[in-house]
Amino acid sequence: MTIGNIPKNVRRKPSRMAQILIGFIPTSKLQGLTNHSARRRAQANLYHACMRDVLHSIVVPGETGVPMICGNGVWRRCHPILATFIGDYPEQYLVTCTYSGQCPKCLAPPGELGKLETFPLRLQSSANDTYHLADEELRVFHAACRNTGLKPVYHPFWESLPLADIFLSITPDVLHQLLQGIMKRLIGWLVSIFGLTVINARCRAMPPNHKVMLFTKGITSLSRISGHEHKKMCCILVGLIVDLPIPGGWDSTRLVRAVRALLDFLYLAQYQSHTSDTLEQLHNALAAFHDNKAIFVDLGEREQFNIPKLHSLTHYVSSIRLFGTTDNYNTEQTERLHIDFAKNAYRATNKKDIYSQMTAWLQRREKILIHTMFIKWRQCEDLRQPETHRISEPPHMPTQTIKMAVNPTKSATFEDLACNYGAVDFQDALADYLVYLSNPGLSAHSARQRADNTLIPFRSVPVFHKIKFTKCGPSGDLEISDSAHARPKGMDMRARIIPARFDTVVVHQDGVPGQGNKGKNYFYRN
């Protein structure tokens, strides 16, 4: 559980303890029930009974309010309510009591999930009318659930929660809906269209670059692919197929447009801030995919697009308008917390009576962390400067700076630069640069003559094999945004050849040697 008014740059850091564990839900398979339908109903009722027991403490405070102290020491009357529920698709239809293959947010028919249309939203008021019949005759209750398309769950946990709408509270999930859902399917379709050999060969031929994962063995041989790996595959997906001919002589224009539209939707959906224009672009990207998705049917990869995860993309814009950007409720954060709250706690036990040991270990760990934070606060209290009124500055684009090592990698002669680095004209370029520094106003002809007569008194220069580019991130810390490599071929400790790597860099400067300051120029330099 977390609170919505905590800044997301704090909530996303597990060390800041902005999300707490409030209970363990049993995962029993109920193997004693041999009837599969009865077992599924019992599991759903068990889940809702546990959630009802966990959340019963916010029912009365949600209606009448409860006094709470804020971080600034002011007491306020707060009304805790259930705002959003974060989970993957099986958890979503379990919570909303809908069936698999249906949308947990709207009344879209199962056969029309592949269309870009809006359907009436589900209303909790009508669902409550159905579940109020749970205490009546069983046959009447089951018939009412069948008519409304809901599971016959005995009093769902959200039935008595004040000011809550569970269907509206279901939020998009970038990890399971996009990365592990639609993108996983899209990569499978492309591999089936172009073939394993072609796609893997393209992956092996991909040049290295900053923040790009190299799949030296291809992407088809991977098993149990994580969301991070799917994210890295999306970075190179268009480059893998952009100029490949489709077997059978089909035109690849619609295919590339469909892939690009889904990638545009993926990256737009992950924006950390949105405007009306970006939300319109998000909708247009989804519309562009639906305009070109028929190419997969023509190629025989799909017969229809009744995919619940594809239909869920139509609710992204409305959810972002209601609850903010998707990084507020992405399951990547909660999946990471499983390690801290479940796996590490389980490893700390002796595997006997594990739940009491896990809860005791978590409580002691929280107390230690809180005490540590209190000590740090008291130690820093005397060092704090008195607060002064700061005038807010207008937002500005982050400036990019160059970060290099203190000492060069090696010293190379002019001959080494020509043979190993490919810098054949380095000595002439150095002479031009020295003349430009000493006489920036010379004409091109005069500068060329003086550079030809310039004597360079040394034969070697220090060489740096790597340059990093840093910029200020959202949290105020410097982060590496890009890097450039210039490394010749070499050997490692086991006498294995390390291939050369020379990145192409676009240099932007205010003048060119020999031409004076005639405005800004662009040129490529390896």
Side-chain angles (χ1 to χ4, degrees), residues 11-23:
R11 190 188 304 115
R12 287 183 297 180
K13 298 177 181 178
S15 60
R16 302 296 294 273
M17 297 177 60
Q19 303 190 39
I20 63 173
L21 178 70
I22 58 175

Side-chain angles (χ1 to χ4, degrees), residues 155-222:
H155 293 304
F157 72 90
W158 39 263
E159 183 183 12
S160 58
L161 293 180
L163 302 177
D165 190 335
I166 192 63
F167 304 110
L168 196 65
S169 300
I170 297 298
T171 55
D173 179 16
V174 174
L175 176 62
H176 293 97
Q177 290 177 352
L178 282 174
L179 294 175
Q180 298 284 59
I182 299 302
M183 291 303 162
K184 181 179 180 180
R185 288 176 176 266
L186 178 63
I187 293 172
W189 298 340
L190 296 178
V191 170
S192 178
I193 291 173
F194 295 105
L196 305 177
T197 305
V198 176
I199 295 295
N200 290 336
R202 280 295 183 98
C203 292
R204 288 190 291 267
M206 189 66 62
N209 201 350
H210 185 70
K211 294 184 179 179
V212 172
M213 182 182 293
L214 295 180
F215 297 93
T216 57
K217 297 182 180 179
I219 61 176
T220 61
S221 60
L222 301 176

Side-chain angles (χ1 to χ4, degrees), residues 218-349:
I219 61 176
T220 61
S221 60
L222 301 176
S223 60
R224 300 181 64 87
I225 305 176
S226 64
H228 176 73
E229 290 172 332
H230 272 126
K231 190 179 297 185
K232 295 302 181 182
M233 291 179 187
C234 293
C235 294
I236 62 174
L237 196 57
V238 173
L240 297 180
I241 66 166
V242 66
D243 59 347
L244 284 179
I246 299 179
W250 287 84
D251 185 14
S252 62
T253 303
R254 288 188 299 160
L255 181 63
V256 175
R257 287 176 179 174
V259 173
R260 188 185 64 181
L262 274 185
L263 291 175
D264 288 342
F265 187 92
L266 170 67
Y267 291 118
L268 287 168
Q270 297 180 83
Y271 273 14
Q272 296 184 6
S273 62
H274 276 284
T275 63
S276 300
D277 293 336
T278 58
L279 292 179
E280 184 178 359
Q281 293 175 20
L282 188 67
H283 175 75
N284 293 339
L286 184 60
F289 170 75
H290 282 276
D291 292 339
N292 297 276
K293 67 182 180 182
I295 184 63
F296 296 105
V297 178
D298 296 339
L299 295 175
E301 293 303 318
R302 295 291 304 179
E303 295 180 358
Q304 41 78 22
F305 286 90
N306 292 323
I307 305 172
K309 291 183 179 180
L310 178 61
H311 170 77
S312 66
L313 305 187
T314 59
H315 297 294
Y316 271 59
V317 174
S318 60
S319 296
I320 291 174
R321 292 184 186 275
L322 282 174
F323 304 117
T325 54
T326 56
D327 55 352
N328 284 308
Y329 36 80
N330 190 4
T331 53
E332 282 183 338
Q333 304 169 26
T334 54
E335 293 288 342
R336 172 61 181 82
L337 293 176
H338 287 168
I339 300 175
D340 296 336
F341 294 153
K343 294 182 179 179
N344 290 343
Y346 177 77
R347 296 189 186 104
T349 67

Side-chain angles (χ1 to χ4, degrees), residues 83-89 91-99 101-109 113 117-124 126-127 149-150 165-173 177 308-309 311-323 329:
T84 61
F85 180 87
I86 304 172
D88 57 8
Y89 181 66
E91 294 168 345
Q92 289 177 0
Y93 67 73
L94 172 63
V95 168
T96 56
C97 302
T98 53
Y99 289 93
Q102 295 180 346
C103 177
K105 293 182 67 69
C106 69
L107 296 172
L113 296 178
E117 296 181 6
T118 57
F119 299 92
L121 297 177
R122 297 181 182 270
L123 299 177
Q124 182 165 326
S126 61
L150 298 174
D165 190 335
I166 192 63
F167 304 110
L168 196 65
S169 300
I170 297 298
T171 55
D173 179 16
Q177 290 177 352
K309 291 183 179 180
H311 170 77
S312 66
L313 305 187
T314 59
H315 297 294
Y316 271 59
V317 174
S318 60
S319 296
I320 291 174
R321 292 184 186 275
L322 282 174
F323 304 117
Y329 36 80

